[in-house]
Amino acid sequence: MPSETDEIASAIIASWSAAFSKLDAETLAALYSRSAFFFGSNPTLYRGRDGVKAYFNGLPRWRAPRVQFSNVSSERVNPDLVNMAGIASFSLDGDTLTVKITWVIAREEGDWKIACHHVSSQTPLI
């Protein structure tokens, strides 16, 4: 039986995946904290919801983007904070991009929001 922490992470993953499949930058940005830090697939640090929206609006317009999360782990840090880590595999018009992904999910105004988003290569750097 999934824990409450797993359910929090799963709900955000489901909402995020659905919005990503439409490249809906407005809906994606709404899943993030007002003070979010966001490192995506380029070296720029995006900040806050406006930064997240700018990131997603700047992506190529793939015909049918999809993402699948696997190996997801979540851990409650305190009553208002959850860490999540996993693998995200993106299907982008015939290409696949698989990355490690971590989120810090924080309760903000009674709702769960992504406060920190970071992706990195699965290829070892060292």
Side-chain angles (χ1 to χ4, degrees):
M1 175 178 218
S3 69
E4 180 188 13
T5 302
D6 292 336
E7 290 174 1
I8 291 164
S10 292
I12 296 269
I13 287 169
S15 297
W16 198 95
S17 298
F20 180 81
S21 72
K22 299 172 189 166
L23 291 176
D24 184 343
E26 191 75 36
T27 300
L28 284 159
L31 296 172
Y32 288 81
S33 167
R34 291 181 316 278
S35 56
F37 278 10
F38 183 105
F39 268 127
S41 58
N42 67 45
T44 302
L45 172 63
Y46 295 87
R47 298 178 71 135
R49 290 184 185 134
D50 288 341
V52 171
K53 188 161 57 167
Y55 172 83
F56 286 108
N57 279 330
L59 290 177
R61 300 289 103 184
W62 298 290
R63 288 186 313 273
R66 289 176 308 165
V67 62
Q68 183 171 355
F69 287 77
S70 61
N71 300 330
V72 173
S73 296
S74 62
E75 186 73 36
R76 194 73 166 253
V77 176
N78 64 46
D80 296 319
L81 203 62
V82 171
N83 274 330
M84 187 283 296
I87 303 298
S89 296
F90 295 89
S91 297
L92 310 167
D93 292 349
D95 293 325
T96 301
L97 172 65
T98 301
V99 296
K100 298 182 294 184
I101 187 166
T102 58
W103 288 340
V104 176
I105 303 167
R107 193 183 328 251
E108 186 174 279
E109 298 172 4
D111 202 7
W112 292 101
K113 301 292 183 181
I114 302 166
C116 189
H117 171 122
H118 186 268
V119 298
S120 59
S121 171
Q122 282 195 289
T123 305
L125 300 175
I126 298 175

